[in-house]
């Protein structure tokens, strides 16, 4: 995955596939967030998408096996805070 990110900077097909992935992730997040967050769905989807990508990178780069449960818990905690922040 890390190599894919690097390739996307110089290889047009990889760049296109990364854009497809990013659009799909955003679309899926928005579909789930709109009923929960209303007008804040775009803002929350942007943050959550960045967090998901960052958590993935952090988990694969750390020593030892990835901790999927901890990564999911971090993303869910972020989402909980965002939804409570504006009384959603």
């Amino acid at each position: 995955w890390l190599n894919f990110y690097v390739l996307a900077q110089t290889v047009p097909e990889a760049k296109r596939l990364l854009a497809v992935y990013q659009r799909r992730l955003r679309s899926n997040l928005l579909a789930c967030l709109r009923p929960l967050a209303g007008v804040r769905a775009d803002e929350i989807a942007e943050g959550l998408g960045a967090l998901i990508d960052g958590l993935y990178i952090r988990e694969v780069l750390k020593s030892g096996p990835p901790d999927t449960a901890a990564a999911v818990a971090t993303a869910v905690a972020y989402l909980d805070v965002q939804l409570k922040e504006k009384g959603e």
Side-chain angles (χ1 to χ4, degrees), residues 9-74:
Q9 303 307 305
T10 58
V11 177
E13 184 62 15
K15 185 175 185 173
R16 186 189 71 75
L17 289 174
L18 180 58
V20 168
Y21 158 75
Q22 289 172 333
R23 283 192 308 269
R24 177 53 75 109
L25 176 62
R26 181 171 177 75
S27 174
N28 287 341
L29 289 171
L30 285 172
C32 294
L33 287 169
R34 279 189 187 111
L36 300 172
V39 298
R40 294 195 61 235
D42 286 331
E43 171 192 343
I44 296 171
E46 186 68 26
L48 192 54
L51 183 61
I52 288 168
D53 288 344
L55 286 167
Y56 177 83
I57 291 169
R58 180 175 282 183
E59 286 299 314
V60 298
L61 290 177
K62 75 179 189 179
S63 61
D67 187 347
T68 304
V72 169
T74 299

